[in-house]
Amino acid sequence: MSRLARVFTFGGTDGSASRLRRLLGMSLGLIYLFYPVSEVVDGTVSGAQAVWRMAALAAFLTVYLGVVLGPRDHDDHPRWMFPLLGVATAMGVIFPLLFRSGGWLTLPVFLVIVYAMGLPPRRALIGIAAMAALVVVQGEIIGADDGAPWVLVLQVVTLGVLFMSVRNTRVLIVQLRQAQGEAARLAATEERLRIARDLHDLLGHSLSLIVLKSELARRLGEQGSPRAAAEVADIESVARQALAQVREAVSGYRRRRLSEEIDGARSALAAAGVALAVRTRGTPLPEDLDGLFAWAVREATTNVVRHSGATRCEIDLSYGEEGAVLEIADNGGGGPYEPGNGLTGLGERVRAAGGELETEAGKRGFRLRAEVPPPSDRTAEMIADRLAE
């Protein structure tokens, strides 16, 4: 729907209710019909002249209400809007000169309201100025009472500016509602992406561990080892934990801790025959970085278990005045590497925290490095990005 149609519908979605609002909004101006009607009512004009004048007034009012209440198309141009507006303008110019009566000088007031509500601001101002000049010129031609045209000019200008303000307010309200709807849509989209990313990370890690333990339990079972039952119990425990984490992720209450993820990584890597070495330096991580690096450990561990064929993995963590650095490396076969959804999502998280994520695959294995600057630097970078936008 065009901007013009949206203004005249007053934000309504129901056709009849919208027309009622428009009629109520425009009906205040109908008081100006008193002047041409009074000439017939008080007997100043009678006979055929009275009939012609009332017929002309009815025709003008019909066209005017057609402009205000007419149906709106959903394309860029409301149906019949501009043709009817042209006819109403012609009547406003011709009738005062035809009947040579000061009472008919009020017709431009009606036109000004439509101009102010329906035309773009620059054209509306031109229309208001044209109607004001028309009232003065017609007043001189028909010999209206001294001062009457100037009173109408003041009313034309005042009402024109007033209804332009009303129109601008309506447009801003429509834009605000659209912006709120768009913000809600983007928030819902972001939440769906968050849940999808979290589920990928959770299920990828848990299912990889379940597959490894299942293979181990099968081999142990074939050998008749009593450890098979313990591995099956571990599989059940991992599955239950994964189910609980999925429920928490969907509910939005899940919170990861780096220490827990390192313990989980140690268990998963041990099941895959990979030795894990962990080194930490500096002070404890703040809560936001603890959760972020927990994600990084989970994703890197999943990749080691799935793809690397490594026998050793190292996790190196440091946090101090220069920021936080997490590096995870393995001695796997390396080779061609293309980042999947997990590492792509992890990169988005790190960048959202103001840091950088680096990944490298080579002959010596795979390396992941996440570096996040201290809070003061991250704040400065965010401010600089906002200013750049």
Side-chain angles (χ1 to χ4, degrees):
M1 184 179 291
S2 70
R3 183 180 181 183
L4 182 60
R6 288 198 304 269
V7 170
F8 275 108
T9 56
F10 286 87
T13 57
D14 178 73
S16 60
S18 172
R19 289 191 178 94
L20 179 59
R21 293 189 188 97
R22 283 181 268 160
L23 180 59
L24 292 176
M26 295 296 187
S27 61
L28 296 177
L30 298 180
I31 190 174
Y32 288 93
L33 294 177
F34 168 79
Y35 297 101
V37 171
S38 63
E39 296 177 348
V40 177
V41 173
D42 62 13
T44 304
V45 178
S46 60
Q49 276 290 328
V51 174
W52 280 110
R53 294 192 182 201
M54 294 306 296
L57 189 60
F60 175 82
L61 186 58
T62 300
V63 174
Y64 174 76
L65 292 178
V67 173
V68 175
L69 304 179
R72 307 296 177 211
D73 288 339
H74 293 281
D75 53 16
D76 291 336
H77 301 287
R79 186 187 306 169
W80 311 118
M81 175 65 189
F82 293 110
L84 283 179
L85 185 56
V87 173
T89 302
M91 290 180 176
V93 173
I94 295 173
F95 287 167
L97 298 177
L98 180 63
F99 299 121
R100 304 188 69 82
S101 170
W104 289 83
L105 292 177
T106 58
L107 296 187
V109 175
F110 293 91
L111 299 175
V112 161
I113 295 175
V114 178
Y115 294 159
M117 289 294 291
L119 297 179
R122 184 173 300 178
R123 295 183 181 180
L125 288 174
I126 294 175
I128 292 171
M131 290 300 102
L134 179 65
V135 170
V136 174
V137 172
Q138 289 181 337
E140 291 293 331
I141 293 175
I142 65 177
D145 296 338
D146 293 339
W150 294 105
V151 172
L152 287 175
V153 167
L154 178 61
Q155 294 176 352
V156 164
V157 174
T158 302
L159 290 175
V161 174
L162 173 63
F163 276 89
M164 283 186 65
S165 300
V166 172
R167 188 272 304 275
N168 290 335
T169 302
R170 294 291 183 181
V171 171
L172 290 176
I173 291 174
V174 171
Q175 292 175 344
L176 177 60
R177 288 174 178 171
Q178 292 175 341
Q180 290 174 336
E182 182 67 13
R185 186 188 67 81
L186 291 176
T189 301
E190 181 63 25
E191 182 65 10
R192 285 194 295 269
L193 290 175
R194 182 192 69 81
I195 293 176
R197 186 169 56 222
D198 289 357
L199 290 177
H200 173 273
D201 294 341
L202 284 170
L203 294 178
H205 175 82
S206 301
L207 292 178
S208 297
L209 183 56
I210 289 173
V211 169
L212 285 172
K213 286 188 171 291
S214 299
E215 293 176 350
L216 179 58
R218 178 177 55 81
R219 290 197 299 268
L220 292 174
E222 292 174 351
Q223 299 172 2
S225 173
R227 287 182 52 197
E231 293 297 332
V232 171
D234 285 346
I235 293 173
E236 179 183 359
S237 175
V238 171
R240 291 183 182 277
Q241 183 181 6
L243 180 60
Q245 289 177 335
V246 167
R247 288 171 177 170
E248 291 175 358
V250 173
S251 301
Y253 297 121
R254 182 164 43 85
R255 171 74 177 93
R256 292 164 197 77
R257 296 192 179 278
L258 180 58
S259 59
E260 297 173 356
E261 290 298 339
I262 291 178
D263 292 340
R266 195 184 304 277
S267 175
L269 292 174
V274 180
L276 175 65
V278 180
R279 291 190 297 271
T280 60
R281 298 185 301 276
T283 58
L285 291 171
E287 186 174 340
D288 59 338
L289 290 183
D290 187 272
L292 175 62
F293 283 177
W295 272 118
V297 168
R298 174 181 285 263
E299 180 58 34
T301 302
T302 302
N303 283 342
V304 172
V305 171
R306 283 181 175 178
H307 309 303
S308 71
T311 59
R312 180 176 177 80
C313 179
E314 297 180 355
I315 298 177
D316 193 325
L317 172 66
S318 64
Y319 178 66
E321 295 181 355
E322 296 182 356
V325 178
L326 174 68
E327 187 167 330
I328 304 174
D330 63 62
N331 63 347
Y337 163 75
E338 293 184 3
N341 293 330
L343 287 178
T344 300
L346 178 60
E348 294 174 355
R349 295 174 189 271
V350 174
R351 286 189 293 273
E356 293 292 336
L357 179 69
E358 298 178 2
T359 56
E360 179 183 358
K363 295 181 179 180
R364 296 184 178 180
F366 181 80
R367 184 179 68 89
L368 179 148
R369 178 184 173 88
E371 184 173 358
V372 180
S376 58
D377 293 350
R378 281 184 275 163
T379 303
E381 290 178 3
M382 293 176 64
I383 293 174
D385 292 340
R386 291 290 180 87
L387 292 176
E389 293 176 358

